[in-house]
């Protein structure tokens, strides 16, 4: 049964500016594994932006407000050519309390924008 859905779209240039303006931004928002995954992609900043949108979409699907310290508790990894959501710590506890058994994620981007769509199921 669907518990919630979330969608988020972001301008890739916005993420690029944030990374270039403040290198700390990467470590505050993304895990080391996410940064390494994106570094393997043809368009590094588009990949980061898609993951940023995914984190927002996950929080919307779960009905959770994001705080800066929570960003790394939602990790977006590429497994078997499919983007996968890995929840940690407080975010994992929230999803378990809500009875979430599956989170499906779709990512996409073009030259200027990245989008993520999430379905959380109980």
């Amino acid at each position: 049964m669907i518990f919630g859905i979330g969608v988020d779209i972001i301008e890739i240039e916005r993420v690029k500016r944030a990374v270039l303006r403040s290198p700390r931004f990467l470590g505050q928002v993304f895990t080391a594994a996410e940064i390494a995954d994106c570094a393997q992609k043809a368009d590094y900043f588009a990949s980061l932006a898609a993951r940023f949108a995914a984190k927002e979409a996950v929080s919307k699907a779960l009905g959770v407000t994001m705080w800066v310290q929570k960003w790394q508790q939602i990790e977006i990894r590429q497994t078997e050519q499919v983007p996968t959501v890995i929840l940690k710590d407080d975010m994992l506890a929230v999803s378990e309390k809500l009875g979430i058994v599956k989170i499906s994620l779709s990512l996409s981007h073009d030259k200027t924008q990245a989008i993520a769509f999430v379905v959380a199921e109980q």
Side-chain angles (χ1 to χ4, degrees):
M1 170 165 113
I2 293 177
F3 172 80
I5 60 170
V7 66
D8 194 71
I9 188 168
I10 188 166
E11 292 179 4
I12 295 167
E13 187 63 29
R14 183 175 168 207
V15 172
K16 182 177 180 179
R17 281 193 314 265
V19 169
L20 296 177
R21 183 177 52 245
S22 174
R24 289 184 19 219
F25 174 81
L26 275 177
Q28 290 174 331
V29 175
F30 303 100
T31 66
E34 288 173 314
I35 295 167
D37 285 351
C38 291
Q40 301 296 317
K41 302 288 186 179
D43 192 334
Y44 177 66
F45 292 109
S47 296
L48 287 174
R51 281 158 179 75
F52 185 90
K55 291 171 186 257
E56 286 279 1
V58 168
S59 69
K60 291 173 183 177
L62 298 178
V64 176
T65 304
M66 292 299 297
W67 300 282
V68 173
Q69 67 271 21
K70 305 295 184 190
W71 288 110
Q72 289 194 3
Q73 292 183 14
I74 301 173
E75 186 175 55
I76 310 302
R77 299 297 310 276
Q78 194 77 19
T79 57
E80 300 176 18
Q81 305 305 317
V82 177
T84 302
V85 176
I86 300 168
L87 300 179
K88 302 174 181 180
D89 304 323
D90 294 340
M91 293 302 293
L92 178 59
V94 165
S95 72
E96 289 174 345
K97 183 177 179 182
L98 295 171
I100 304 301
V101 296
K102 182 178 181 183
I103 298 177
S104 299
L105 167 65
S106 180
L107 301 174
S108 189
H109 62 80
D110 63 11
K111 291 182 181 183
T112 62
Q113 297 179 319
I115 190 168
F117 184 80
V118 169
V119 177
E121 298 178 60
Q122 290 178 313

